[in-house]
Every structure is written in C-alpha cells, then in structure tokens.
Amino acid sequence: MEIRSKLWIEIDGKPVFGRGRRFLLEAIDKYGSINQAAKEINISYRKAWGYIKAMEERLGIKLIERQTGGRHGGGATLTQDARNFLKKYEALEKGIQGLVDERFIQIFNTKEL
Amino acid sequence: MEIRSKLWIEIDGKPVFGRGRRFLLEAIDKYGSINQAAKEINISYRKAWGYIKAMEERLGIKLIERQTGGRHGGGATLTQDARNFLKKYEALEKGIQGLVDERFIQIFNTKEL
DNA sequence: ATGCGTTATGCAAATATTCCATAACGAACT
DNA sequence: AGTTCGTTATGGAATATTTGCATAACGCAT
C-alpha cells in the first residue's frame, strides 16, 4: 500500500502545469531539444508537443523558443517566462511530498485496519 | 489560475482509495443505498459499483454489506472495516489542501509571471 | 542538390471510461 | 400466490481519451 499525491495548476478547469510538464521543461532546458527531452522523460515527441501547445495556449505565454531546420535540425530553448514559472512551481512542490509521506506512515503504519 | 491537489492510495500501482471513493463511502453511510449515494455524488450506479468492487478486491476487505430485494429493494451499509479505513483516510487528507492553497497564494500571487 | 535531425500535425489505432439495458432479488401489499 | 417496487449486479455497446504512427517542412552544412 503506497501513498501518492499530485499537484497541478489549472486554468478554467483544465490542467496547465504539473510534475510531468515540469520535468519536460527541465529536460528541454538541459538538451536544447524537445525531441531529446521527450526521450529523456520517456514520453513521445507527439505528447511533449501537445503538452507545450496546451500550456502556451492556456497560459497565453510563449514558453519555448523553437527553431526548425539548420545544421543540427533546429532545437528549442526556454523563454525567460518559462524559467520564472518553473522556478515558482518548484518552490510550490517542495516539501509537500515529504509531508504527505510522513503523515501516511504515521496514520497507516499499523498491522490491523 | 487555480491550484489542485490529489491524494490517493495505491496497491500494486493501482488506485484503491481517494477523494471520490471517500465521498462515495460517506454517501452510502448516509443513505444506506449505493444507488442513492451515486446520485448524491453525481456518478452512475455502474461506476460506483465498479469502485466498490475494485476497492474490495484490492484491499482484500469487505467494505459494503449489501442486501438485494426486500420491501424497499434492499440497500447497503458500511462494514466496521470500511468505517475505520475511512477515518484514517480523512485524517490523512486533513490539512493538506489548506497547506497547498496557502503556499500557492504565497508564491503565485503576483501580477507578473 | 542532398542529407540530417529537428519541429509540426493530421489521423488512425489502441485504451480507458461511461452508460445503457436488463436480470435477479425478496419483503410487503393486494 | 401473484404483483409491485427500488434495490443490487453485470455484460457489453457506445463514447471519449490517449497514444503513437506516418509524413511534411525546415534550413544549414557538405
């Protein structure tokens, strides 16, 4: 029996940002490529692309600077807005998981129900 | 922009209990009927039934005492195990949402990104 | 011109979810 | 003893969602 928790941000009831998208942005920052980033976090490029599209539409902010074509095919980098947002989300998430785990063990760690 | 959080318990990677199931059990306790409970929380009877089935299978515990037929068609009541489980889950959930909300406001409550 | 590794998307296929339809039940009432 | 009523119980169809395949476009370097 394991406890799981999830944290995300919505706009008009639709998901805009969460752990998965956080990892995606972080990986794009690391690799300079949506494609590479998707591989890193084990999702298809298609899915990553969909995430980015939805995020940008819903937030109304450009998160990723894209370049198609070129010597190495192009690439992608985070905008400053994306970096700022990411930083805030990281701060929001920090510590929550630990708290939840701690409480779960405290409450459920008994043999009988 | 709203923050949302979710807390649930899994067994072997499969969801066993969460907010929705909590509401379902609470409503069954209140109405003495799966059918009525489902209406209360706005899900189909079919879905409620599936929830209960999965919960009982995965936990390996009987949660609902069912009676079919009879003057008023029958009904359902929570077992003591179900009550105990519910109580623990409620304790687990308590306060988490508030903490998350608080932090969200603190971090994101600025005009600019 | 050609090749390369990207970004960009439509659309088909697979999965998951929801809901419709119907059976069975049994106490109370007629 | 049959009828009624509001339940529980479930298969399976219908819908919705997610995933991923296939392919186009791009533009620099060779």
Side-chain angles (χ1 to χ4, degrees):
Chain A
M1 201 155 79
E2 315 97 43
I3 184 71
R4 305 251 297 127
S5 72
K6 209 175 160 180
L7 207 65
W8 72 101
I9 293 169
E10 290 187 351
I11 287 179
D12 298 331
K14 293 188 175 174
V16 163
F17 209 83
R19 208 178 288 156
R21 288 155 167 97
R22 169 192 163 182
F23 290 153
L24 177 61
L25 291 199
E26 286 172 348
I28 290 173
D29 199 26
K30 181 174 171 192
Y31 291 106
S33 154
I34 296 173
N35 199 21
Q36 286 301 310
K39 275 174 191 156
E40 167 85 357
I41 66 173
N42 259 65
I43 62 174
S44 65
Y45 172 85
R46 186 64 180 75
K47 187 170 181 177
W49 177 81
Y51 274 174
I52 295 168
K53 188 164 188 287
M55 276 190 279
E56 291 189 328
E57 277 176 10
R58 288 171 195 166
L59 285 171
I61 291 166
K62 186 171 197 171
L63 296 173
I64 308 285
E65 202 69 58
R66 288 109 138 161
Q67 190 175 0
T68 138
R71 174 68 187 85
H72 295 294
T77 57
L78 301 192
T79 62
Q80 191 54 47
D81 279 348
R83 278 181 225 283
N84 292 343
F85 193 87
L86 199 48
K87 207 166 229 169
K88 287 190 182 182
Y89 180 81
E90 285 162 355
L92 179 68
E93 236 188 16
K94 195 171 185 178
I96 297 273
Q97 183 65 49
L99 179 81
V100 168
D101 287 347
E102 196 182 298
R103 192 184 286 211
F104 177 69
I105 289 168
Q106 221 168 34
I107 295 176
F108 278 88
N109 195 16
T110 60
K111 286 304 172 212
E112 78 286 352
L113 263 187
Chain B
M1 201 157 78
E2 315 96 43
I3 183 70
R4 303 253 295 129
S5 71
K6 206 176 162 180
L7 208 64
W8 72 101
I9 293 170
E10 290 187 351
I11 287 179
D12 298 332
K14 294 190 175 171
V16 163
F17 209 83
R19 208 177 288 157
R21 287 154 168 97
R22 170 192 162 183
F23 289 153
L24 177 61
L25 290 200
E26 287 171 349
I28 290 173
D29 198 26
K30 181 174 170 193
Y31 291 107
S33 154
I34 296 173
N35 199 22
Q36 286 301 310
K39 274 174 193 155
E40 167 85 358
I41 66 173
N42 259 64
I43 62 174
S44 64
Y45 172 86
R46 185 65 178 77
K47 187 171 181 180
W49 177 82
Y51 274 174
I52 294 168
K53 187 163 189 285
M55 276 191 277
E56 290 188 329
E57 277 175 10
R58 288 171 194 164
L59 285 171
I61 291 166
K62 185 171 201 173
L63 296 173
I64 308 284
E65 203 69 59
R66 288 109 139 159
Q67 190 174 0
T68 138
R71 176 65 188 92
H72 294 294
T77 57
L78 302 191
T79 62
Q80 192 55 47
D81 280 348
R83 278 179 223 283
N84 292 343
F85 193 88
L86 199 48
K87 208 165 228 170
K88 287 190 181 181
Y89 180 82
E90 285 161 355
L92 180 67
E93 239 187 14
K94 194 171 188 179
I96 298 272
Q97 183 66 48
L99 180 81
V100 169
D101 287 348
E102 196 181 301
R103 192 182 287 209
F104 178 70
I105 289 169
Q106 218 167 36
I107 295 176
F108 279 87
N109 195 16
T110 59
K111 286 302 170 214
E112 78 287 350
L113 262 189

